[in-house]
Amino acid sequence: MKTLWQNGTLYTMEQEGSKVEALLTESGKIVATGTYDELQGQADEEIDLGGAVLYPGFIDSHMHMIGHGEKLLSLDLSKAASADEMMDMLLGAHKGLGADEWFVGEGWNENNFPDKKIFTRHELDQVTAAPMLLKRTCRHVLLVNSKALELAGITKDTPDPEDGVIVRDANGEATGLLLEGAQDLVLNVAPEPTEQSLTRALRKSVDDLLALGLTGAVTDDLGYYGDYRNPLQAFKNVIGEEKKFRAHLLRRSTVFAQLMADAATYCEPWIDPGEMKFFIDGALGGKTALLSAPYADTPETSGMTVLTDEEIDELVKLAREHGEAIAVHVIGDGATEKALDAIEKYPVPEGKRDRLIHVNVLRDDLVERMEKLPVILDVQPIFVSSDFPWVMDRLGEERLGWAYAWKRLLDHGFICGGGSDAPVEEVDPLLGIYAAATRRKPGETHDGYLPHEKLSRFEAVGLFTTGSAATIGKADVRGKLAVGFDADFTVLDRDLFEVADEEIVDANVVMTVVAGDVMYRG
């Protein structure tokens, strides 16, 4: 059946300002574009947009879909603006929790607190006698109470793991703060999620993503929940012909070999396998991102790497043995340098591109090397809203030239996709578009943080349409309104190219359309 979409503003994203009056879809594809009069006679049905604005479907280029659902279903600490407010939230949550049940919270960020306070295990012990784990917003740091440390067997004599740090007080006792790989000491004794609980979280996530206008996402979930079969089956349980959504699954290195050995199956075109994912460093918020020189505000550290150079090489070789590209988390310039060393040694297979995730801090020499390689970049514009201004003190003036440099990267010709890193940040793509175009938080009136890095509205929307589609090798079928492209649309009640800056985040989703079917109606 052919459907005619008309009576709105339809932006093709083929070039700035390009619009069509109407388009015709059939079997999930765009089969014609043109004027209403030209296409009307070919349609079996019409959808009247009522003056709304239709864009190619928004795609989040990097997030954790199950993690986002878990955050929606659990105690969300991300809005706490002080330590006192966070403690009030903790004291008011999970009433009646049994002694053998786990108290779980998500999203705390001490950088939002005036005093930058981080609770100790002793303070958390006043909240509950049950084991407690609180995931920092970056998910590279965990805060736990004494019961959780006890269950994990962490004592004064427990050595730091090679890929992490057990933060200790002046007496050498664990404070309850666990960095990077040290988190696993507690996470490994916490109850393992079941297929049912993961399915519940994913269903909550997909419903929310569709309501926010997202038609697809690159997501990192395989390898965090024990046996990879549970999260993979959760995707198959939720996404398909009935609930259409496009999920590009990164495959974490910890389960990649088993996925390949098992010849794991997916559910294309809704669920498709992506690159092999691993981390090299941590996050700037927790000072675990690897910089090539010490932090300006903490000169005793340059951050940390969670892998040795030899381990990085072995992981890249593993991906290449299976003809695959890598997706690697690199926030600091020191981490990016290590990634490039390995990529240059073991080139990506012909026709594929390696994915560099975040690239918050770069250098001229690193960009020159990147330009010679088939790499794509996942950037998170919303990081500007959450990390500035404190990150300027952390990096120092001399490193700001290539900090969060989305404009310079686009000008250098890199393929860049826009993502949120949810649940680390808010998943709403309008917040990402706003941050890319204004370089500030909603409601602020200054000219933006590092304002020379502002993107045009077309470039900002492009991160979440043409750019994100290109990062998954779908530039020829997604991200534009053109014949032969997937009929994935995000329909809003206002024109993001015409409204004032502050109105971007006020836009409402009228419809989210995947493969020609309306999956959400506002």
Side-chain angles (χ1 to χ4, degrees), residues 15 26 69 76 176 201 258 380 511 521:
Q15 57 188 7
E26 183 180 25
D76 181 4
Q258 186 181 358
Q380 291 70 44
M511 279 187 288
R521 195 182 295 271

Side-chain angles (χ1 to χ4, degrees), residues 462-482:
L463 287 179
F464 292 87
T465 53
T466 53
S468 286
T471 71
I472 55 175
K474 301 292 185 182
D476 58 343
V477 292
R478 287 181 205 155
K480 298 178 183 178
L481 304 184

Side-chain angles (χ1 to χ4, degrees), residues 4-327:
L4 180 63
W5 304 76
Q6 52 86 24
N7 190 26
T9 302
L10 287 67
Y11 282 104
T12 70
M13 291 304 294
E14 291 185 292
Q15 57 188 7
E16 189 164 0
S18 175
K19 293 180 280 190
V20 294
E21 185 177 309
L23 56 83
L24 198 66
T25 62
E26 183 180 25
S27 301
K29 295 284 187 179
I30 299 172
V31 295
T33 64
T35 67
Y36 176 72
D37 290 341
E38 289 170 339
L39 301 179
Q40 181 184 25
Q42 303 176 47
D44 300 302
E45 67 170 357
E46 294 187 13
I47 292 186
D48 186 339
L49 296 170
V53 187
L54 183 148
Y55 309 83
F58 292 168
I59 305 166
D60 190 307
S61 72
H62 182 72
M63 67 172 300
H64 309 265
M65 287 176 61
I66 291 176
H68 175 61
E70 289 178 324
K71 182 178 179 180
L72 292 173
L73 293 170
S74 70
L75 173 62
D76 181 4
L77 300 169
S78 63
K79 299 298 190 296
S82 69
D84 287 343
E85 188 174 338
M86 177 173 164
M87 180 55 72
D88 287 342
M89 294 171 74
L90 293 174
L91 290 169
H94 301 319
K95 295 294 187 182
L97 198 66
D100 59 346
E101 296 180 273
W102 282 72
F103 186 116
V104 179
E106 302 257 359
W108 62 273
N109 184 356
E110 80 285 358
N111 289 311
N112 292 336
F113 305 163
D115 59 1
K116 305 293 190 289
K117 178 179 174 62
I118 297 175
F119 291 115
T120 68
R121 62 186 174 94
H122 301 296
E123 291 168 302
L124 298 183
D125 291 344
Q126 304 306 307
V127 176
T128 181
M132 174 190 287
L133 63 87
L134 306 177
K135 300 174 185 178
R136 191 182 183 278
T137 181
C138 62
R139 293 205 161 195
H140 291 265
V141 178
L142 196 66
L143 189 57
V144 303
N145 66 355
S146 297
K147 185 62 176 180
L149 291 173
E150 176 190 331
L151 291 174
I154 297 175
T155 69
K156 187 175 183 178
D157 299 323
T158 303
D160 289 343
E162 291 183 359
D163 60 347
V165 175
I166 302 169
V167 177
R168 306 169 196 270
D169 61 21
N171 298 317
E173 299 285 353
T175 65
L177 195 65
L178 305 173
L179 311 183
E180 300 298 342
Q183 299 176 94
D184 292 336
L185 299 175
V186 169
L187 294 175
N188 287 341
V189 299
E192 188 172 294
T194 64
E195 178 191 321
Q196 290 73 26
S197 67
L198 295 173
T199 298
R200 178 169 172 258
L202 187 61
R203 183 172 289 112
K204 182 75 171 177
S205 178
V206 172
D207 286 344
D208 188 57
L209 300 182
L210 290 168
L212 292 169
L214 285 161
T215 61
V218 179
T219 184
D220 180 18
D221 298 282
L222 304 185
Y224 295 91
Y225 303 101
D227 190 328
Y228 80 81
R229 295 175 184 83
N230 285 335
L232 181 56
Q233 187 59 48
F235 275 91
K236 294 177 181 180
N237 292 344
V238 173
I239 298 173
E241 284 295 331
E242 289 189 18
K243 190 182 290 292
K244 293 179 178 178
F245 189 84
R246 316 257 190 202
H248 182 83
L249 304 187
L250 301 182
R251 294 171 286 180
R252 198 173 178 196
S253 59
T254 52
V255 297
F256 180 78
Q258 186 181 358
L259 281 160
M260 301 306 290
D262 293 348
T265 60
Y266 300 86
C267 186
E268 300 179 79
W270 318 119
I271 306 167
D272 64 75
E275 304 89 327
M276 187 189 81
K277 164 72 187 295
F278 62 93
F279 293 78
I280 288 182
D281 67 344
L284 289 166
K287 300 179 186 177
T288 57
L290 182 66
L291 302 177
S292 56
Y295 282 81
D297 61 349
T298 316
E300 61 269 23
T301 183
S302 297
M304 62 181 293
T305 175
V306 298
L307 296 170
T308 66
D309 292 350
E310 292 74 18
E311 288 170 332
I312 295 170
D313 282 355
E314 288 303 313
L315 288 177
V316 177
K317 285 166 63 178
L318 173 63
R320 304 312 193 222
E321 287 168 6
H322 292 281
E324 290 294 341
I326 60 168

Side-chain angles (χ1 to χ4, degrees), residues 385 428-449 451 454-458 460-461 492 494-507:
S385 302
D428 187 348
L430 296 175
L431 292 173
I433 291 168
Y434 175 89
T438 67
R439 305 282 295 191
R440 62 178 183 252
K441 301 175 179 68
E444 292 182 338
T445 57
H446 57 79
D447 196 38
Y449 299 108
K454 289 181 182 178
L455 302 189
S456 71
R457 296 286 181 86
F458 182 71
V461 173
L492 304 179
R494 64 198 69 190
D495 190 330
L496 298 181
F497 300 122
E498 298 292 340
V499 298
D501 287 343
E502 296 307 311
E503 286 190 57
I504 294 174
V505 295
D506 293 330

